[in-house]
Amino acid sequence: MAPNQQIRPLTACVNAQGHLAIGGIDTVTLAGQWGTPLYVVDELTLRTACREYVQALATAYPGAALAIYASKAWNILALCALVRQEGLGIDVVSAGELAGALQAGVAADKIYFHGNNKSEAELTLALTAGVTIVVDNWFELKTLARLGPQLSYIPRLLVRVTPGIECHTHEYIQTGHLDSKFGFDPNEIGDLFSYLVDQPGLHCVGLHAHIGSQIFELQPHQDLAQVLVDLYAKGLHQGLPFCELNVGGGLGVCYVAGDDPPAIAAWVEAVAGSVARACARAGLDYPKLICEPGRSLIANSCLTLYQVGSTKTVPGVRTYIAVDGGMSDNPRPITYGARYTALIANKADQAADQLVTVAGKHCESGDILLKDVLLAQPESGDLLTVFTTGAYNYAMASNYNRVPRPAAVLVNEGEASLILQRETTADLLRQDCLPPRLMGMPE
Ligand code: LLP
């Protein structure tokens, strides 16, 4: 299987000054212009990943197919618009993400709305927009059965099933095993299909499942294909108007040397091939095949720039270098023990021979971005780059310690465009309310 060992964005290189450049721009220039921490997204890397999915689906699958961006990885207008330009659809999981996709111009027929506890207000918004709703449970289904007849059209649904497939990834990001909060249990499927057949006000066009995230193995996805095609055949047999199968996302990426995910084309070939073969064996017309990658589209395209501030050496133990961000802009290390690759961007041509630990600036001992990594001799004022920060970094960022969230720029061929403004102190205080009686001192 073709591996994918890409850690750096495609345009990353060391320039004549010995600095890391990306999108044709020196990272030192970027940091000077936009400040740090700064997310820098390489347009070419993101467009290339989108094209790989689109092309691989066209090559590997005999029926219609659509890749949709799991925008939970990073839902901001510019990124939603960029993937739309590449022909992808978008999956959303909240009213906020839905608003992002719609405002970025994504057509309703390419938007899929997920979630295990969508509110009635969110469902109403989704129905008004006319997007496909991926129904997760009976509570939601019954709400839709009540809301559907009030509309001027018949809502379009997919049903999410729990396929009972385990995969090797962090337990927090496994979703396909039976003990999961997501989707209908396989035991309920017969009753579910009977219920749907009796609902003329709901148009259920197929099935969805997602087994987890940051997965390097192909076999669980191939097993999923078979499970889904079996259930799909059962639904057709019970009289449902099925025509779509959504196999979720989950392809992993390379964060550190030694990570060994398959390439996008290899993943698509394995999954689409399994669906196609299972359909052929069952004598079914090919359903429209949908996959919804998040991380494998966006992660590698982005790096984060930080400025190095204080350093501390604990003799005989370790040297800490602290940067001007941390768990607020990248909560993955503290949440999942996630590992990253870094370098000193203004010393990109120097040997990485100093063993250090990179700490964030937050009041939390666990706020460590990288433990025991080799970097070129770091000094205060240096620019540190952390690679592969496009997925689930800004999306999960917080204002812990009232630290403003960073800006983001999109770089391409020597141009940088701002896609996310840096938060200001005023932004941080905007939602605070200070009752007048708390002003001054009590009488
Ligand atoms: N579809 C569904 C229904 C999902 O729940 C997810 C991810 C995806 C697609 C996209 O999966 P991907 O291709 O990105 O693996 N915060 C965690 C990851 C949580 C993933 C949630 N669902 C992390 O930082 O690793």
Side-chain angles (χ1 to χ4, degrees):
M1 116 187 140
N4 172 16
Q5 257 104 38
Q6 180 193 343
I7 294 180
R8 298 181 181 200
L10 292 175
T11 65
C13 63
V14 179
N15 65 16
Q17 288 71 43
H19 299 169
L20 181 75
I22 173 170
I25 313 178
D26 191 322
T27 50
V28 174
T29 309
L30 287 169
Q33 186 174 356
W34 307 99
T36 54
L38 181 69
Y39 300 112
V40 184
V41 180
D42 181 37
E43 184 166 340
L44 182 75
T45 306
L46 179 53
R47 288 195 188 276
T48 301
C50 292
R51 287 169 197 173
E52 281 173 9
Y53 269 104
V54 172
Q55 280 162 15
L57 280 168
T59 312
Y61 191 63
L66 180 68
I68 62 180
Y69 170 47
S71 72
K72 57 182 75 68
W74 194 356
N75 181 308
I76 56 172
L77 294 179
L79 299 177
C80 292
L82 191 154
V83 300
R84 169 183 56 73
Q85 286 185 338
E86 292 299 330
L88 276 71
I90 295 229
D91 113 32
V92 298
V93 296
S94 67
E97 287 187 0
L98 175 60
L102 290 170
Q103 209 174 313
V106 183
D109 64 0
K110 285 187 166 178
I111 300 180
Y112 288 74
F113 191 23
H114 291 282
N116 69 311
N117 192 22
K118 305 171 187 80
S119 69
E120 193 160 325
E122 284 177 318
L123 288 172
T124 305
L125 265 178
L127 290 170
T128 309
V131 309
T132 302
I133 296 177
V134 185
V135 186
D136 196 272
N137 51 63
W138 284 107
F139 176 67
E140 181 184 342
L141 188 53
K142 295 202 169 151
T143 308
L144 287 168
R146 178 162 52 77
L147 297 175
Q150 299 164 21
L151 300 165
S152 57
Y153 73 100
I154 301 184
R156 194 172 188 279
L157 317 178
L158 290 184
V159 159
R160 178 168 183 164
V161 297
T162 318
I165 289 174
E166 311 255 343
C167 52
H168 294 111
T169 188
H170 194 287
E171 64 169 309
Y172 292 1
I173 51 178
Q174 284 188 1
T175 48
H177 53 307
L178 289 177
D179 181 8
S180 163
K181 71 169 183 171
F182 296 107
F184 286 90
D185 190 89
N187 293 321
E188 305 176 284
I189 297 297
D191 290 347
L192 173 65
F193 288 172
S194 305
Y195 176 86
L196 284 166
V197 168
D198 290 340
Q199 295 293 320
L202 298 175
H203 189 53
C204 182
V205 295
L207 300 174
H208 166 273
H210 171 76
I211 57 175
S213 198
Q214 183 59 1
I215 301 169
F216 292 175
E217 309 146 282
L218 291 174
Q219 195 58 50
H221 283 107
Q222 292 172 307
D223 296 345
L224 172 68
Q226 184 65 55
V227 170
L228 278 179
V229 170
D230 288 348
L231 291 173
Y232 182 90
K234 187 173 170 155
L236 281 175
H237 187 70
Q238 282 188 237
L240 288 167
F242 278 0
C243 58
E244 280 189 14
L245 209 51
N246 181 332
V247 294
L251 170 61
V253 301
C254 188
Y255 286 101
V256 292
D259 284 349
D260 194 21
I264 289 172
W267 186 86
V268 170
E269 199 183 308
V271 177
S274 300
V275 171
R277 284 189 297 277
C279 289
R281 276 195 299 275
L284 303 174
D285 290 342
Y286 296 116
K288 178 171 177 179
L289 177 64
I290 298 173
C291 65
E292 45 190 26
R295 190 188 314 264
S296 53
L297 278 176
I298 190 83
N300 287 117
S301 68
C302 183
L303 53 79
T304 307
L305 296 175
Y306 300 96
Q307 190 169 55
V308 177
S310 62
T311 64
K312 172 181 176 180
T313 298
V314 185
V317 181
R318 74 180 77 250
T319 295
Y320 289 96
I321 67 168
V323 294
D324 52 358
M327 59 184 285
S328 57
D329 59 79
N330 184 357
R332 299 194 69 258
I334 197 167
T335 310
Y336 312 112
R339 292 167 63 220
Y340 283 87
T341 300
L343 61 72
I344 302 288
N346 54 310
K347 298 175 178 167
D349 58 345
Q350 297 180 21
D353 53 6
Q354 301 295 312
L355 187 67
V356 298
T357 286
V358 179
K361 66 178 271 122
H362 296 276
C363 291
E364 181 107 4
S365 296
D367 178 26
I368 300 294
L369 282 179
L370 299 106
K371 194 164 180 207
D372 296 334
V373 284
L374 285 169
L375 296 176
Q377 181 67 54
E379 292 160 286
S380 306
D382 279 346
L383 192 63
L384 181 96
T385 301
V386 177
F387 294 104
T388 331
T389 55
Y392 308 110
N393 274 225
Y394 177 77
M396 300 195 346
S398 74
N399 292 124
Y400 183 43
N401 297 151
R402 281 230 144 142
V403 171
R405 285 176 298 175
V409 291
L410 182 70
V411 293
N412 190 39
E413 295 186 351
E415 259 185 53
S417 316
L418 187 66
I419 56 172
L420 189 63
Q421 284 183 14
R422 183 176 304 285
E423 284 175 342
T424 62
T425 308
D427 291 330
L428 294 172
L429 297 182
R430 183 174 303 129
Q431 307 297 338
D432 287 22
C433 303
L434 182 56
R437 67 190 171 78
L438 299 182
M439 299 293 283
M441 293 301 285
E443 311 237 314

